[in-house]
Structure formats: C-alpha cells, structure tokens
Amino acid sequence: MNQNPSEKTIIEDETKESFQNIYFSKVILFNDLVNDFGHVEDCLMKICFKSKKEAKKISLEAHNNGKAICFVGSLEECETVAEKLSAEHLTVSINS
C-alpha cells in the first residue's frame, strides 16, 4: 500500500496525538477573582516546577482566556499536582 507523503504525515500526527493522550493528562488552571498573581505564580513554581517566566505566562493566559494548562504528566502525577494546587485555593481540573 503506497501512501502519498501528506497522508503519511496526517496518520503519523494522529497516531502521535493518540499516543500522547493515552499516557498524559493535563492540569487546567482556571482564572478566579480571589488569588493574586504573586500567589498563583508562586504555586506554579513550587508545585508545577515552572520557572518564574513560565509561571507568569501561565498566570496571564488563565487571566486573559479563563483557563490555561499548567501541568502535563501521568494521571497520577496530575492528581497529585491538582490536589496541591486546590489546597492552595486555586481552581483546577484534570483533562485526560
């Protein structure tokens, strides 16, 4: 079976995306009116292992768009991160 290069690329991309979705989940941070940027950034650095620059970018994305991905990992890792962020009064969810 011969495939043209564009079909092969689409299939490889879909397979790669499916593979990543099976093994990785995402923690989504939601914007709220309670926490200030400093607290959110500190939590992202401490709990999600983000640099100051990454934490600021994620905080701004959540503020501007209502939500942002703040952590990607196994479901177990995401559950742990989400619990810790929730304990800091941040609003999060896990997408598998």
Side-chain angles (χ1 to χ4, degrees):
M1 175 175 172
N2 289 333
Q3 295 177 325
N4 75 37
S6 65
E7 287 177 1
K8 185 177 179 184
T9 301
I10 291 169
I11 291 169
E12 286 175 356
D13 289 346
E14 288 173 356
T15 303
K16 185 177 179 182
E17 187 175 315
S18 296
F19 177 79
Q20 289 174 340
N21 288 341
I22 291 170
Y23 294 102
F24 291 101
S25 298
K26 300 172 188 120
V27 178
I28 309 297
L29 171 69
F30 291 91
N31 186 42
D32 63 36
L33 301 174
V34 178
N35 295 292
D36 63 25
F37 278 96
H39 177 65
V40 175
E41 290 171 8
D42 289 344
C43 290
L44 293 173
M45 289 187 295
K46 180 176 73 176
I47 298 168
C48 299
F49 314 108
K50 302 298 180 186
S51 68
K52 180 75 172 172
K53 184 177 181 178
E54 291 171 319
K56 183 180 278 302
K57 182 179 175 185
I58 293 167
S59 297
L60 283 171
E61 183 179 342
H63 178 74
N64 292 328
N65 299 325
K67 63 183 178 180
I69 297 170
C70 65
F71 186 83
V72 176
S74 70
L75 181 57
E76 185 177 329
E77 291 171 319
C78 288
E79 287 172 344
T80 301
V81 167
E83 280 181 28
K84 291 179 180 180
L85 291 171
S86 293
E88 294 291 336
H89 308 290
L90 301 180
T91 305
V92 296
S93 70
I94 299 173
N95 285 0
S96 303

Coordinates of all heavy atoms in Angstrom, one line a residue:
M1 N 0.8 -1.2 0.0 CA 0.0 0.0 0.0 C 0.9 1.2 0.0 O 1.7 1.5 0.9 CB -0.9 0.0 1.2 CG -1.7 1.2 1.4 SD -2.8 0.8 2.9 CE -3.5 2.4 3.1
N2 N 0.8 2.0 -1.0 CA 1.5 3.3 -1.1 C 0.7 4.4 -0.7 O -0.5 4.5 -1.0 CB 2.0 3.5 -2.6 CG 3.1 2.5 -3.0 OD1 3.8 2.0 -2.1 ND2 3.2 2.2 -4.3
Q3 N 1.3 5.3 0.1 CA 0.7 6.5 0.6 C 1.4 7.7 0.1 O 2.7 7.6 0.0 CB 0.6 6.6 2.1 CG -0.2 5.5 2.7 CD -0.1 5.6 4.2 OE1 0.9 5.9 4.8 NE2 -1.2 5.2 4.9
N4 N 0.7 8.7 -0.2 CA 1.5 9.9 -0.6 C 2.0 10.6 0.7 O 1.5 10.3 1.8 CB 0.7 10.9 -1.4 CG -0.4 11.7 -0.7 OD1 -0.2 12.1 0.4 ND2 -1.5 11.9 -1.3
P5 N 3.0 11.4 0.7 CA 3.7 11.9 1.9 C 2.7 12.7 2.8 O 2.8 12.6 4.0 CB 4.7 12.9 1.3 CG 5.1 12.3 0.0 CD 3.8 11.8 -0.5
S6 N 1.7 13.4 2.2 CA 0.8 14.2 3.1 C -0.1 13.2 3.9 O -0.4 13.5 5.1 CB 0.0 15.2 2.3 OG -0.9 14.5 1.4
E7 N -0.6 12.1 3.3 CA -1.4 11.2 4.0 C -0.6 10.5 5.2 O -1.1 10.3 6.3 CB -1.9 10.1 3.1 CG -3.0 10.5 2.2 CD -3.4 9.4 1.2 OE1 -2.9 8.3 1.3 OE2 -4.3 9.7 0.4
K8 N 0.7 10.2 4.9 CA 1.6 9.6 5.9 C 1.8 10.5 7.1 O 1.7 10.1 8.2 CB 2.9 9.2 5.2 CG 3.8 8.5 6.2 CD 5.1 8.1 5.5 CE 6.0 7.3 6.5 NZ 7.3 7.0 5.9
T9 N 2.0 11.8 6.8 CA 2.2 12.8 7.8 C 0.9 12.9 8.7 O 1.0 12.9 9.9 CB 2.5 14.2 7.2 OG1 3.7 14.0 6.4 CG2 2.7 15.2 8.3
I10 N -0.3 12.9 8.1 CA -1.5 13.0 8.9 C -1.7 11.8 9.8 O -2.0 11.9 10.9 CB -2.7 13.2 7.9 CG1 -2.7 14.5 7.2 CG2 -4.0 13.0 8.6 CD1 -3.7 14.7 6.1
I11 N -1.4 10.6 9.2 CA -1.6 9.4 10.0 C -0.6 9.4 11.2 O -0.9 9.1 12.3 CB -1.4 8.1 9.2 CG1 -2.6 8.0 8.2 CG2 -1.3 6.9 10.0 CD1 -2.4 7.0 7.1
E12 N 0.7 9.8 10.9 CA 1.7 9.9 12.0 C 1.3 10.9 13.0 O 1.5 10.6 14.2 CB 3.1 10.2 11.4 CG 3.7 9.0 10.6 CD 5.0 9.4 9.9 OE1 5.4 10.6 10.0 OE2 5.6 8.5 9.3
D13 N 0.8 12.0 12.6 CA 0.4 13.1 13.6 C -0.8 12.6 14.4 O -0.8 12.8 15.7 CB 0.0 14.3 12.9 CG 1.1 15.1 12.2 OD1 2.3 14.8 12.6 OD2 0.9 16.0 11.4
E14 N -1.7 11.9 13.8 CA -2.9 11.4 14.6 C -2.4 10.3 15.6 O -2.9 10.2 16.7 CB -3.9 10.8 13.6 CG -4.7 11.9 12.9 CD -5.6 11.3 11.8 OE1 -5.7 10.1 11.6 OE2 -6.3 12.2 11.2
T15 N -1.5 9.4 15.1 CA -1.0 8.4 16.0 C -0.2 9.0 17.1 O -0.4 8.5 18.3 CB -0.1 7.4 15.2 OG1 -0.8 6.9 14.1 CG2 0.4 6.3 16.1
K16 N 0.6 9.9 16.9 CA 1.4 10.6 17.9 C 0.5 11.3 18.9 O 0.6 11.1 20.1 CB 2.3 11.6 17.3 CG 3.3 12.3 18.3 CD 4.2 13.2 17.5 CE 5.1 13.9 18.5 NZ 6.0 14.9 17.8
E17 N -0.6 12.0 18.4 CA -1.5 12.6 19.3 C -2.3 11.6 20.2 O -2.5 11.8 21.4 CB -2.5 13.5 18.5 CG -3.4 14.3 19.3 CD -4.3 15.2 18.5 OE1 -3.7 15.8 17.5 OE2 -5.5 15.3 18.8
S18 N -2.7 10.5 19.6 CA -3.4 9.5 20.3 C -2.5 8.9 21.4 O -2.9 8.7 22.5 CB -3.9 8.4 19.4 OG -4.8 8.9 18.5
F19 N -1.3 8.6 21.1 CA -0.3 8.1 22.0 C -0.1 9.0 23.2 O -0.1 8.6 24.3 CB 1.0 7.8 21.3 CG 2.1 7.3 22.2 CD1 2.1 6.0 22.6 CD2 3.1 8.2 22.6 CE1 3.1 5.5 23.4 CE2 4.1 7.7 23.5 CZ 4.1 6.4 23.9
Q20 N 0.0 10.3 22.9 CA 0.3 11.3 23.9 C -1.0 11.4 24.8 O -0.9 11.5 26.0 CB 0.6 12.6 23.3 CG 2.0 12.7 22.7 CD 2.2 14.0 22.0 OE1 1.3 14.7 21.6 NE2 3.5 14.3 21.7
N21 N -2.2 11.3 24.2 CA -3.4 11.4 25.0 C -3.6 10.2 26.0 O -4.2 10.4 27.0 CB -4.6 11.6 24.1 CG -4.7 12.9 23.4 OD1 -4.0 13.9 23.9 ND2 -5.4 13.0 22.4
I22 N -3.1 9.1 25.5 CA -3.3 7.9 26.4 C -2.4 8.0 27.6 O -2.8 7.6 28.7 CB -2.9 6.6 25.6 CG1 -3.9 6.3 24.5 CG2 -2.8 5.4 26.5 CD1 -3.6 5.3 23.5
Y23 N -1.2 8.5 27.5 CA -0.2 8.4 28.5 C -0.1 9.7 29.3 O 0.6 9.8 30.3 CB 1.1 8.0 28.0 CG 1.1 6.6 27.5 CD1 1.0 6.3 26.2 CD2 1.1 5.5 28.5 CE1 0.9 4.9 25.8 CE2 1.0 4.2 28.0 CZ 0.9 3.9 26.7 OH 0.8 2.6 26.3
F24 N -0.7 10.8 28.8 CA -0.5 12.1 29.5 C -1.9 12.8 29.8 O -2.8 12.8 28.9 CB 0.4 13.0 28.7 CG 1.8 12.6 28.7 CD1 2.3 11.9 27.5 CD2 2.6 12.8 29.7 CE1 3.6 11.5 27.5 CE2 3.9 12.3 29.7 CZ 4.4 11.7 28.6
S25 N -2.0 13.3 30.9 CA -3.1 14.1 31.3 C -2.7 15.5 31.5 O -1.5 15.8 31.6 CB -3.8 13.6 32.6 OG -4.2 12.3 32.4
K26 N -3.6 16.5 31.6 CA -3.3 17.9 31.8 C -4.0 18.4 33.0 O -5.2 18.1 33.2 CB -3.7 18.7 30.6 CG -3.1 18.2 29.3 CD -3.7 19.0 28.1 CE -3.2 18.4 26.8 NZ -4.2 17.8 26.0
V27 N -3.3 19.3 33.8 CA -4.0 20.0 34.8 C -4.3 21.4 34.2 O -3.4 22.1 33.7 CB -3.1 20.2 36.1 CG1 -3.8 21.0 37.1 CG2 -2.7 18.8 36.6
I28 N -5.6 21.8 34.3 CA -6.0 23.1 33.8 C -6.2 24.0 35.0 O -6.9 23.7 35.9 CB -7.4 22.9 33.0 CG1 -7.3 21.8 32.0 CG2 -7.8 24.2 32.4 CD1 -6.3 22.0 30.9
L29 N -5.6 25.2 34.9 CA -5.8 26.2 35.9 C -6.8 27.2 35.4 O -6.8 27.7 34.3 CB -4.5 27.0 36.1 CG -4.5 28.2 36.9 CD1 -4.8 27.9 38.4 CD2 -3.2 29.0 36.8
F30 N -7.8 27.5 36.3 CA -8.9 28.5 35.9 C -8.7 29.8 36.6 O -8.2 29.9 37.7 CB -10.2 27.9 36.3 CG -10.6 26.7 35.5 CD1 -10.3 25.4 35.9 CD2 -11.3 26.9 34.3 CE1 -10.7 24.3 35.2 CE2 -11.7 25.8 33.5 CZ -11.4 24.5 34.0
N31 N -9.0 30.9 35.9 CA -9.0 32.2 36.4 C -10.0 32.3 37.6 O -11.1 31.7 37.5 CB -9.3 33.2 35.3 CG -9.1 34.6 35.8 OD1 -8.2 35.0 36.5 ND2 -10.0 35.5 35.4
D32 N -9.6 33.1 38.6 CA -10.6 33.4 39.6 C -10.4 34.8 40.1 O -9.4 35.5 39.7 CB -10.5 32.4 40.8 CG -9.2 32.5 41.5 OD1 -8.6 33.5 41.7 OD2 -8.7 31.4 42.0
L33 N -11.3 35.3 40.9 CA -11.2 36.7 41.4 C -10.6 36.8 42.8 O -10.6 37.8 43.4 CB -12.6 37.3 41.4 CG -13.3 37.4 40.0 CD1 -14.7 37.9 40.1 CD2 -12.5 38.2 39.0
V34 N -10.1 35.6 43.3 CA -9.7 35.6 44.7 C -8.2 35.7 44.8 O -7.7 36.5 45.6 CB -10.2 34.2 45.3 CG1 -9.7 34.1 46.8 CG2 -11.7 34.1 45.3
N35 N -7.4 34.9 44.0 CA -6.0 34.8 44.1 C -5.3 35.9 43.3 O -5.7 36.2 42.2 CB -5.5 33.4 43.7 CG -6.0 32.4 44.6 OD1 -5.6 32.3 45.7 ND2 -6.9 31.5 44.1
D36 N -4.2 36.5 43.9 CA -3.4 37.4 43.2 C -2.4 36.7 42.4 O -2.1 35.6 42.6 CB -2.9 38.5 44.1 CG -1.9 38.0 45.1 OD1 -1.3 36.9 44.9 OD2 -1.7 38.6 46.2
F37 N -1.8 37.5 41.4 CA -0.8 36.9 40.5 C 0.4 36.3 41.3 O 0.9 35.2 40.9 CB -0.3 37.9 39.5 CG -1.2 38.1 38.3 CD1 -2.2 39.1 38.3 CD2 -1.2 37.3 37.2 CE1 -3.0 39.3 37.3 CE2 -2.0 37.4 36.2 CZ -2.9 38.5 36.2
G38 N 0.9 37.0 42.3 CA 2.0 36.5 43.1 C 1.8 35.2 43.7 O 2.7 34.3 43.6
H39 N 0.6 35.0 44.3 CA 0.3 33.7 44.9 C 0.2 32.6 43.8 O 0.8 31.5 44.0 CB -1.0 33.7 45.6 CG -1.4 32.4 46.2 ND1 -0.7 31.8 47.2 CD2 -2.5 31.6 46.0 CE1 -1.3 30.7 47.5 NE2 -2.4 30.5 46.8
V40 N -0.5 32.9 42.7 CA -0.6 31.9 41.6 C 0.8 31.5 41.0 O 1.1 30.3 40.9 CB -1.5 32.4 40.5 CG1 -1.6 31.4 39.3 CG2 -2.9 32.6 41.0
E41 N 1.6 32.5 40.8 CA 2.9 32.3 40.2 C 3.8 31.4 41.2 O 4.5 30.5 40.8 CB 3.6 33.6 39.9 CG 3.0 34.3 38.7 CD 3.5 35.7 38.5 OE1 4.5 36.1 39.2 OE2 3.0 36.4 37.6
D42 N 3.7 31.8 42.5 CA 4.5 31.0 43.5 C 4.1 29.5 43.5 O 4.9 28.6 43.6 CB 4.3 31.6 44.9 CG 5.0 32.9 45.1 OD1 5.9 33.3 44.2 OD2 4.7 33.7 46.0
C43 N 2.7 29.3 43.4 CA 2.2 27.9 43.4 C 2.7 27.2 42.2 O 3.1 26.0 42.3 CB 0.7 27.9 43.5 SG 0.1 28.5 45.1
L44 N 2.6 27.8 41.0 CA 3.1 27.2 39.8 C 4.5 26.8 39.8 O 4.9 25.8 39.4 CB 2.7 28.1 38.6 CG 1.3 28.3 38.3 CD1 1.1 29.3 37.2 CD2 0.6 27.0 37.9
M45 N 5.3 27.7 40.4 CA 6.8 27.4 40.5 C 7.0 26.3 41.5 O 7.8 25.4 41.2 CB 7.6 28.7 41.0 CG 7.6 29.7 39.9 SD 8.7 31.1 40.3 CE 7.8 31.9 41.6
K46 N 6.4 26.3 42.7 CA 6.6 25.3 43.7 C 6.0 24.0 43.4 O 6.6 22.9 43.6 CB 6.1 25.9 45.0 CG 6.2 25.0 46.2 CD 5.7 25.6 47.5 CE 4.2 25.6 47.5 NZ 3.7 26.2 48.8
I47 N 4.8 24.0 42.9 CA 4.0 22.7 42.8 C 4.2 22.1 41.3 O 4.3 20.9 41.2 CB 2.5 22.9 43.1 CG1 2.4 23.4 44.6 CG2 1.7 21.7 42.8 CD1 1.1 23.9 45.0
C48 N 4.2 23.0 40.3 CA 4.3 22.5 38.9 C 5.7 22.6 38.4 O 5.9 22.3 37.2 CB 3.3 23.4 38.1 SG 1.6 23.2 38.6
F49 N 6.6 23.0 39.2 CA 8.0 23.1 38.7 C 8.3 24.0 37.6 O 9.1 23.7 36.7 CB 8.6 21.7 38.4 CG 8.2 20.6 39.5 CD1 7.2 19.7 39.2 CD2 8.8 20.7 40.7 CE1 6.9 18.7 40.2 CE2 8.4 19.7 41.7 CZ 7.4 18.8 41.4
K50 N 7.6 25.1 37.5 CA 7.7 26.1 36.5 C 8.7 27.2 36.9 O 8.9 27.5 38.0 CB 6.4 26.8 36.2 CG 5.3 25.8 35.8 CD 5.6 25.1 34.5 CE 4.5 24.2 34.1 NZ 4.8 23.3 33.0
S51 N 9.4 27.7 35.9 CA 10.3 28.9 36.1 C 9.4 30.1 36.3 O 8.2 30.1 36.1 CB 11.2 29.1 34.9 OG 10.4 29.6 33.8
K52 N 10.0 31.2 36.8 CA 9.3 32.4 37.0 C 8.6 32.9 35.8 O 7.4 33.3 35.7 CB 10.2 33.5 37.6 CG 9.6 34.8 37.9 CD 8.7 34.8 39.1 CE 8.2 36.2 39.5 NZ 7.3 36.1 40.6
K53 N 9.3 32.8 34.7 CA 8.8 33.3 33.4 C 7.6 32.4 32.9 O 6.6 32.9 32.4 CB 9.9 33.2 32.3 CG 9.6 33.7 31.0 CD 10.7 33.7 30.0 CE 10.4 34.3 28.7 NZ 11.5 34.3 27.7
E54 N 7.8 31.1 33.0 CA 6.7 30.2 32.7 C 5.4 30.4 33.6 O 4.3 30.4 33.1 CB 7.1 28.7 32.8 CG 8.1 28.2 31.8 CD 8.7 26.9 32.1 OE1 8.9 26.6 33.3 OE2 8.9 26.1 31.2
A55 N 5.7 30.6 34.9 CA 4.6 30.8 35.8 C 3.8 32.1 35.4 O 2.6 32.1 35.5 CB 5.1 30.8 37.2
K56 N 4.5 33.1 35.1 CA 3.9 34.4 34.7 C 3.1 34.2 33.5 O 2.0 34.7 33.4 CB 5.0 35.5 34.5 CG 4.4 36.8 34.2 CD 5.5 37.9 34.0 CE 6.0 38.4 35.3 NZ 5.2 39.1 36.2
K57 N 3.6 33.5 32.5 CA 2.9 33.3 31.2 C 1.7 32.5 31.4 O 0.6 32.8 30.9 CB 3.9 32.5 30.2 CG 3.3 32.2 28.9 CD 4.2 31.5 28.0 CE 3.5 31.2 26.7 NZ 4.4 30.4 25.8
I58 N 1.7 31.4 32.2 CA 0.5 30.6 32.5 C -0.5 31.4 33.3 O -1.7 31.4 33.0 CB 0.9 29.3 33.3 CG1 1.7 28.4 32.4 CG2 -0.3 28.6 33.8 CD1 2.4 27.3 33.1
S59 N -0.1 32.2 34.2 CA -1.0 33.1 35.0 C -1.7 34.1 34.1 O -2.9 34.3 34.2 CB -0.2 33.8 36.1 OG 0.3 32.9 37.0
L60 N -1.0 34.7 33.2 CA -1.6 35.6 32.3 C -2.5 35.0 31.3 O -3.6 35.5 31.0 CB -0.5 36.4 31.5 CG 0.2 37.5 32.3 CD1 1.4 38.0 31.5 CD2 -0.7 38.6 32.7
E61 N -2.2 33.8 30.9 CA -3.1 33.1 29.9 C -4.4 32.7 30.6 O -5.4 32.9 30.1 CB -2.4 31.8 29.4 CG -3.2 31.0 28.4 CD -2.6 29.8 27.9 OE1 -1.3 29.6 28.0 OE2 -3.3 28.9 27.4
A62 N -4.3 32.2 31.9 CA -5.5 31.9 32.6 C -6.3 33.2 32.9 O -7.6 33.2 32.7 CB -5.2 31.3 34.0
H63 N -5.7 34.3 33.2 CA -6.4 35.5 33.4 C -7.1 36.0 32.2 O -8.2 36.5 32.2 CB -5.4 36.6 33.9 CG -6.0 37.9 34.1 ND1 -6.8 38.2 35.2 CD2 -5.9 39.1 33.4 CE1 -7.2 39.5 35.1 NE2 -6.6 40.0 34.0
N64 N -6.4 36.0 31.0 CA -6.9 36.5 29.8 C -7.9 35.6 29.1 O -8.9 36.0 28.5 CB -5.8 36.8 28.8 CG -4.9 38.0 29.3 OD1 -5.4 38.9 29.9 ND2 -3.6 38.0 29.0
N65 N -7.7 34.3 29.2 CA -8.5 33.3 28.5 C -9.5 32.5 29.4 O -10.2 31.7 28.9 CB -7.6 32.3 27.7 CG -6.8 33.0 26.7 OD1 -7.2 34.0 26.1 ND2 -5.6 32.5 26.5
G66 N -9.4 32.7 30.7 CA -10.2 32.0 31.6 C -9.6 30.7 32.1 O -10.0 30.1 33.1
K67 N -8.6 30.1 31.3 CA -8.0 28.9 31.7 C -6.7 28.7 31.0 O -6.4 29.3 30.0 CB -8.9 27.7 31.5 CG -9.2 27.4 30.0 CD -10.2 26.3 29.9 CE -10.5 26.1 28.4 NZ -11.5 25.0 28.2
A68 N -5.8 27.8 31.6 CA -4.5 27.6 31.0 C -4.0 26.2 31.4 O -4.3 25.8 32.6 CB -3.5 28.6 31.3
I69 N -3.3 25.5 30.6 CA -2.7 24.2 31.0 C -1.5 24.6 31.9 O -0.6 25.4 31.5 CB -2.2 23.4 29.8 CG1 -3.4 23.0 28.9 CG2 -1.4 22.2 30.2 CD1 -3.1 22.4 27.6
C70 N -1.4 24.0 33.1 CA -0.3 24.4 34.0 C 0.6 23.2 34.2 O 1.7 23.3 34.8 CB -0.8 25.0 35.3 SG -1.8 23.9 36.3
F71 N 0.1 22.0 33.9 CA 1.0 20.8 34.1 C 0.5 19.7 33.2 O -0.7 19.5 33.0 CB 0.8 20.3 35.6 CG 1.7 19.2 36.0 CD1 3.1 19.4 36.3 CD2 1.3 17.9 36.0 CE1 3.9 18.4 36.7 CE2 2.1 16.8 36.3 CZ 3.5 17.1 36.7
V72 N 1.5 18.9 32.7 CA 1.2 17.7 31.8 C 2.0 16.6 32.4 O 3.2 16.7 32.7 CB 1.6 18.0 30.4 CG1 1.4 16.7 29.5 CG2 0.8 19.2 29.8
G73 N 1.3 15.4 32.6 CA 2.0 14.2 33.1 C 1.1 13.1 33.1 O 0.0 13.1 32.6
S74 N 1.5 12.0 33.9 CA 0.6 10.9 34.0 C -0.6 11.3 34.8 O -0.6 12.3 35.5 CB 1.3 9.7 34.7 OG 1.6 10.1 36.1
L75 N -1.7 10.5 34.8 CA -2.9 10.8 35.5 C -2.5 10.9 37.0 O -3.0 11.8 37.7 CB -3.9 9.7 35.3 CG -5.3 9.9 36.0 CD1 -5.9 11.3 35.7 CD2 -6.2 8.8 35.7
E76 N -1.7 10.0 37.5 CA -1.3 10.0 38.9 C -0.6 11.3 39.3 O -0.9 11.9 40.3 CB -0.5 8.8 39.3 CG -0.1 8.7 40.7 CD 0.7 7.4 41.0 OE1 0.5 6.4 40.3 OE2 1.5 7.5 42.0
E77 N 0.3 11.7 38.5 CA 1.1 13.0 38.7 C 0.1 14.2 38.7 O 0.2 15.0 39.6 CB 2.1 13.2 37.6 CG 3.3 12.2 37.7 CD 4.2 12.4 36.5 OE1 3.7 12.5 35.4 OE2 5.4 12.3 36.7
C78 N -0.8 14.2 37.7 CA -1.8 15.3 37.6 C -2.7 15.3 38.8 O -3.0 16.4 39.3 CB -2.6 15.1 36.3 SG -1.6 15.6 34.9
E79 N -3.1 14.2 39.3 CA -4.0 14.1 40.5 C -3.2 14.7 41.7 O -3.8 15.5 42.5 CB -4.4 12.7 40.8 CG -5.5 12.2 39.8 CD -5.8 10.7 40.0 OE1 -5.0 10.0 40.7 OE2 -6.8 10.3 39.4
T80 N -2.0 14.4 41.9 CA -1.2 14.9 43.0 C -1.0 16.5 42.8 O -1.2 17.2 43.8 CB 0.2 14.3 43.0 OG1 0.0 12.9 43.2 CG2 1.1 14.8 44.1
V81 N -0.7 16.9 41.6 CA -0.5 18.4 41.4 C -1.8 19.1 41.6 O -1.9 20.1 42.3 CB 0.0 18.6 40.0 CG1 -0.1 20.1 39.6 CG2 1.5 18.2 39.9
A82 N -2.9 18.5 41.1 CA -4.2 19.2 41.3 C -4.6 19.3 42.7 O -5.2 20.3 43.2 CB -5.3 18.4 40.5
E83 N -4.3 18.2 43.5 CA -4.6 18.3 45.0 C -3.9 19.4 45.7 O -4.4 20.1 46.5 CB -4.3 16.9 45.6 CG -5.3 15.8 45.4 CD -4.9 14.6 46.1 OE1 -4.2 14.6 47.1 OE2 -5.3 13.5 45.6
K84 N -2.6 19.5 45.3 CA -1.7 20.5 46.0 C -2.2 21.9 45.6 O -2.2 22.8 46.4 CB -0.3 20.3 45.6 CG 0.3 19.0 46.3 CD 1.8 18.8 45.8 CE 2.3 17.6 46.5 NZ 3.7 17.4 46.1
L85 N -2.5 22.1 44.3 CA -3.0 23.4 43.8 C -4.3 23.8 44.5 O -4.5 24.9 44.9 CB -3.1 23.5 42.3 CG -1.8 23.4 41.5 CD1 -2.0 23.3 40.1 CD2 -0.9 24.7 41.8
S86 N -5.2 22.8 44.6 CA -6.5 23.0 45.3 C -6.3 23.4 46.7 O -7.0 24.2 47.3 CB -7.4 21.8 45.2 OG -7.7 21.6 43.8
A87 N -5.3 22.8 47.4 CA -5.1 23.1 48.8 C -4.6 24.5 48.9 O -4.7 25.1 50.0 CB -4.0 22.1 49.3
E88 N -4.1 25.1 47.9 CA -3.6 26.5 47.9 C -4.8 27.4 47.4 O -4.5 28.6 47.1 CB -2.4 26.7 47.0 CG -1.2 26.0 47.5 CD -0.6 26.6 48.7 OE1 -0.9 27.8 49.0 OE2 0.1 25.9 49.5
H89 N -6.0 26.9 47.3 CA -7.2 27.6 46.9 C -7.2 28.0 45.5 O -7.9 29.0 45.1 CB -7.4 28.8 47.8 CG -7.4 28.4 49.3 ND1 -8.4 27.7 49.9 CD2 -6.4 28.6 50.2 CE1 -8.0 27.5 51.2 NE2 -6.9 28.1 51.4
L90 N -6.5 27.3 44.6 CA -6.6 27.6 43.2 C -7.6 26.6 42.6 O -7.8 25.5 43.0 CB -5.2 27.3 42.5 CG -4.0 28.2 43.0 CD1 -2.8 27.8 42.2 CD2 -4.4 29.6 42.9
T91 N -8.3 27.1 41.5 CA -9.3 26.3 40.9 C -8.7 25.6 39.7 O -8.2 26.2 38.8 CB -10.5 27.2 40.4 OG1 -10.9 28.0 41.5 CG2 -11.6 26.4 39.8
V92 N -8.7 24.2 39.7 CA -8.1 23.4 38.7 C -9.0 22.2 38.3 O -9.9 21.9 39.1 CB -6.7 22.9 39.1 CG1 -5.7 24.0 39.4 CG2 -6.8 22.0 40.4
S93 N -8.7 21.6 37.2 CA -9.4 20.4 36.8 C -8.3 19.5 36.1 O -7.3 20.1 35.7 CB -10.6 20.6 35.9 OG -10.2 21.1 34.7
I94 N -8.6 18.3 35.9 CA -7.7 17.4 35.1 C -8.5 16.9 33.9 O -9.6 16.5 33.9 CB -7.4 16.1 36.0 CG1 -6.7 16.6 37.3 CG2 -6.5 15.2 35.2 CD1 -6.5 15.4 38.2
N95 N -7.8 17.0 32.7 CA -8.3 16.5 31.5 C -7.4 15.4 31.0 O -6.2 15.5 31.0 CB -8.2 17.6 30.4 CG -9.3 18.6 30.6 OD1 -10.2 18.5 31.5 ND2 -9.4 19.6 29.7
S96 N -8.0 14.3 30.7 CA -7.2 13.1 30.3 C -7.2 13.0 28.8 O -8.0 13.4 28.1 CB -7.8 11.8 30.9 OG -7.9 11.9 32.3

